[in-house]
Amino acid sequence: MDWQCSAVDPRWQESLNIIVLRHPIERHLSEFFFSGVTPATKNKIFGKNRRIIQKDQLFLNKTYTNILARFIYEEVPRWMEYSKIGRKRKYKATTMFARWYQDNFQLRALAGCSSGQCLMTKVTEQSIELRSIHDLHPLNHSYITPSATCTHFFRENSVYDVCSTSRKRKITDQCSTGCDVPCSYPTIAEGSLDKRDVRHAIKSLQAFDVVLVLLMEHLLDDDQSAFLNDVMGVPRDVHFALNNARKMNANVFKSNKREVTHFYRDLFTKLNLQSVLLRLEEENKLEIEFFNRAVDVHNQQMKLWKEETGWGKIE
C-alpha cells in the first residue's frame, strides 16, 4: 500500500483499519514450508508424509533430523533465489503477494509509493508505467463508485473471485460482491530499500486503528482478544472473538509460548543451520528493524487501552 494512503485516500476514514504482523523470519519460513516446497522434492526426500516437520520424530529420530537439516540447507537458499523467476511459476512474476519468497515483505507492503520523490527513485531503478499510477491516485481520481477489484489471490497467473460463494473459482479481475478497500490503487513496492522506507512504513502503521503484532503468537491471548473487540464495538465474549477461535497454524502445533514465537528460528539453531538463518536475517534486516518498532507501536496502543479500560486491575 501507499505509505501516504491514510492522508490522501478519503475511503480510509470510512473504514476500520486493522493489521496483523509477524516476525519476518518466522513468516518467511512458514511460507517456505507451506508452499515453497514442490511435491516432487518433498516426496523424494520425505515420502508421502503430509507434514514435513514431524515433531514426534524431530528429537527421537536422528536420521530424520539429518534428512531435514540437509533438505533445509539445500532448499531454502534455492527457494530464496528462484521464487521470482521461471516460466512455469503459478503466480505473476511482477507481484510480491504470491506465497513465495519476497525479501522484506511486510516492510514493502506498508512502504509502497505512488507519488513524490519515493516514486521517482523507483522509476530510475526499473521500468514503470506511470500513467495508470497517476490516473488512479486518489488525488487524481474519484472513488465515489467503488471498483470491485479483487486483491492479491492468484491461480495460474489470473486473479480469481475471492468473494464468490460458488465452489468453483471463477477467474476474473472483478469480485462479485465487491472487495474495494482503501489503498487499492497502483503502488510501487519493488526495488531497493533504505531507512526512509522504514520510517514510511512506521508512519503508515501508525494510521491503523489496531496493530495486532505477532500474528499467531498473540492473537489468542485474552487481552488481545478484548482489545480488538473493544475497537470493533462488540461484546468481549462474542462467539467470533479471537480467544474463541480455533487454534491456528495447526499443521505445526506449538506446545508452549517459546515455540509459538520462535519455532522456526529455534529449529534452525537446533539443526546447526545458522548460516541459512543469518542469510535470511541479513536480507531482511530492514524488515526486522521495522517489526521491532511495530512491536513498540503495538505495546503503546495496548498500554493506553489498558489504562482507559482498567484491564488487569483487581476491583
Side-chain angles (χ1 to χ4, degrees):
M1 60 175 275
D2 187 336
W3 72 276
Q4 299 182 94
C5 172
S6 62
V8 301
D9 193 334
R11 296 169 297 172
W12 184 273
Q13 305 304 326
E14 300 175 2
S15 305
L16 179 62
N17 303 289
I18 299 173
I19 188 169
V20 181
L21 302 174
R22 189 180 188 183
H23 189 281
I25 305 303
E26 296 295 312
R27 184 200 169 277
H28 283 308
L29 292 175
S30 178
E31 290 294 283
F32 168 74
F33 285 106
F34 180 79
S35 61
V37 185
T38 64
T41 299
K42 175 177 174 290
N43 292 338
K44 178 181 178 181
I45 297 176
F46 296 100
K48 299 295 184 179
N49 293 320
R50 180 170 177 264
R51 295 181 177 87
I52 291 180
I53 299 178
Q54 299 183 76
K55 288 186 61 181
D56 59 341
Q57 295 294 318
L58 188 56
F59 302 107
L60 298 176
N61 187 327
K62 185 64 176 178
T63 301
Y64 169 79
T65 303
N66 290 339
I67 292 174
L68 179 62
R70 187 177 74 251
F71 168 74
I72 293 174
Y73 182 78
E74 295 175 356
E75 291 299 321
V76 169
R78 184 178 293 125
W79 172 70
M80 294 170 65
E81 293 169 7
Y82 295 106
S83 280
K84 286 289 181 177
I85 62 177
R87 297 180 179 178
K88 296 182 179 180
R89 299 298 187 194
K90 292 184 178 180
Y91 59 88
K92 292 184 177 180
T94 57
T95 183
M96 58 184 286
F97 297 91
R99 290 200 178 279
W100 292 81
Y101 177 72
Q102 168 66 67
D103 68 274
N104 299 285
F105 174 84
Q106 294 168 120
L107 173 59
R108 293 182 185 279
L110 286 166
C113 55
S114 51
S115 62
Q117 183 58 46
C118 174
L119 180 61
M120 293 302 99
T121 300
K122 302 295 186 185
V123 170
T124 62
E125 296 180 346
Q126 53 194 303
S127 176
I128 297 174
E129 173 53 56
L130 291 177
R131 180 172 180 177
S132 63
I133 295 176
H134 178 271
D135 291 349
L136 293 175
H137 191 276
L139 296 181
N140 307 313
H141 182 82
S142 174
Y143 288 95
I144 297 175
T145 302
S147 172
T149 304
C150 288
T151 49
H152 312 278
F153 294 82
F154 297 95
R155 179 173 178 266
E156 296 179 351
N157 286 340
S158 299
V159 182
Y160 65 82
D161 186 353
V162 296
C163 306
S164 174
T165 57
S166 172
R167 290 186 177 183
K168 184 176 181 180
R169 290 176 176 175
K170 180 181 179 183
I171 298 177
T172 176
D173 283 339
Q174 298 297 313
C175 285
S176 57
T177 59
C179 294
D180 189 55
V181 295
C183 314
S184 63
Y185 51 91
T187 302
I188 305 303
E190 296 286 350
S192 61
L193 298 170
D194 57 31
K195 296 284 187 178
R196 289 171 295 184
D197 295 289
V198 176
R199 293 195 294 270
H200 288 171
I202 290 296
K203 184 73 173 179
S204 175
L205 190 70
Q206 290 171 334
F208 281 81
D209 298 288
V210 179
V211 183
L212 287 175
V213 178
L214 300 179
L215 191 61
M216 300 168 192
E217 289 85 335
H218 286 291
L219 284 188
L220 297 181
D221 290 359
D222 288 340
D223 59 347
Q224 305 288 309
S225 180
F227 175 43
L228 181 58
N229 284 10
D230 285 359
V231 171
M232 294 191 299
V234 298
R236 292 178 180 175
D237 60 351
V238 70
H239 72 278
F240 56 77
L242 290 176
N243 57 0
N244 289 331
R246 67 177 181 85
K247 297 293 183 180
M248 290 172 282
N249 204 21
N251 283 348
V252 183
F253 178 74
K254 312 299 192 303
S255 59
N256 57 61
K257 288 189 175 181
R258 174 71 186 186
E259 289 187 353
V260 168
T261 58
H262 291 75
F263 182 84
Y264 292 107
R265 285 170 287 172
D266 283 354
L267 173 65
F268 276 43
T269 300
K270 291 171 183 174
L271 297 178
N272 294 317
L273 295 169
Q274 287 90 340
S275 62
V276 181
L277 191 57
L278 285 172
R279 176 176 175 179
L280 279 165
E281 291 173 343
E282 177 61 26
E283 288 196 14
N284 295 280
K285 60 185 178 183
L286 287 175
E287 184 183 10
I288 293 173
E289 177 184 342
F290 158 72
F291 178 81
N292 290 333
R293 294 180 62 182
V295 171
D296 293 337
V297 173
H298 168 74
N299 288 342
Q300 183 62 28
Q301 285 189 332
M302 291 296 297
K303 179 182 178 182
L304 292 174
W305 169 76
K306 289 179 180 179
E307 290 174 351
E308 292 173 355
T309 62
W311 179 269
K313 294 182 179 179
I314 300 177
E315 297 183 358

